Amino acid sequence: MTQLEEEGAEGAEKAGNPAKSPKKTGWATRERAGEERVPRAGGPGAGAGSLRLDDQLCFALYAAQRAVTAAYRPLLEELGVTYPQYLVLLVLWERGETTVKELAGALRLDYGTVSPLLKRMESAGLVRRERAARDERSVLVACTGRAEELKERAARIPGALFAATGLGAQDVTRLREELWSLARRADGTAHSAS
């Protein structure tokens, strides 16, 4: 349902026209109604062979990723960076100067995705890129002084996100470990299939 359709359906519902009101089963409608999206265990279609959208692990991960990224947005706007730029800065703050290839590997992105991102960050004065002296084929990337100044302000972001989501330290640790385990298994499956 598009935003326009949702707004039309909401208007119909408020006007008391149930024929044009959406069923209270769609995710967006449940969220507006204050309901939590919880998969129905053992419900019709549940299980490994289900084609119900709400039963798909990939969709739950996708929805969670979008929601978490949206929760980061106002925190990152204060720094003047986007979420992908923040991830680049996290790697550089942790490792210092690194090659573009190593940065792409750490972010699990391909070179073609990282290169334009770094170009925008260089234009914004956040990073500098230069050819490595010992290997002209390799490009080094490092934070500028401006990016280093952001590090102190960025230190509050993880705690602010935990507070916004209501997750405690143990919840975050458990969830992160489960997600990394899933990523390793899925990556192994993808590599064995190719």
Side-chain angles (χ1 to χ4, degrees):
M1 183 178 290
T2 67
Q3 183 176 359
L4 187 57
E5 290 170 328
E6 288 176 9
E7 289 171 1
E10 283 178 5
E13 190 174 344
K14 288 176 186 172
N17 186 348
K20 292 190 177 184
S21 298
K23 293 179 185 176
K24 294 290 184 189
T25 56
W27 183 20
T29 344
R30 282 197 302 259
E31 280 186 349
R32 281 194 303 276
E35 297 176 30
E36 191 173 330
R37 183 185 188 107
V38 179
R40 290 178 286 183
S50 171
L51 292 179
R52 282 180 27 89
L53 181 62
D54 283 357
D55 291 341
Q56 305 307 310
L57 175 63
C58 61
F59 186 67
L61 290 167
Y62 171 76
Q65 181 268 326
R66 287 183 50 87
V68 169
T69 301
Y72 268 105
R73 194 169 294 119
L75 302 170
L76 297 176
E77 284 174 353
E78 293 176 19
L79 300 180
V81 298
T82 64
Y83 182 72
Q85 292 171 343
Y86 173 65
L87 297 180
V88 168
L89 291 174
L90 287 175
V91 173
L92 295 176
W93 289 332
E94 178 183 343
R95 300 180 181 190
E97 185 177 71
T98 188
T99 65
V100 173
K101 182 179 179 180
E102 290 168 343
L103 179 66
L107 296 173
R108 285 142 179 92
L109 296 172
D110 59 56
Y111 187 87
T113 302
V114 172
S115 189
L117 174 60
L118 292 175
K119 186 175 184 178
R120 287 189 301 275
M121 291 180 76
E122 189 173 37
S123 295
L126 295 169
V127 299
R128 61 176 170 73
R129 295 181 296 170
E130 59 187 35
R131 296 257 171 222
R134 63 180 186 268
D135 182 0
E136 290 275 326
R137 296 170 296 172
S138 186
V139 176
L140 297 172
V141 61
C143 287
T144 61
R146 178 171 177 238
E148 288 296 342
E149 290 170 9
L150 292 178
K151 185 177 181 179
E152 187 176 319
R153 290 172 47 204
R156 70 172 201 79
I157 290 176
L161 185 71
F162 298 160
T165 60
L167 291 171
Q170 289 179 337
D171 295 328
V172 170
T173 300
R174 181 189 51 76
L175 181 58
R176 184 177 49 237
E177 288 171 358
E178 288 178 11
L179 289 171
W180 278 121
S181 176
L182 174 61
R184 284 189 298 274
R185 287 190 301 248
D187 193 42
T189 301
H191 287 293
S192 65
S194 51

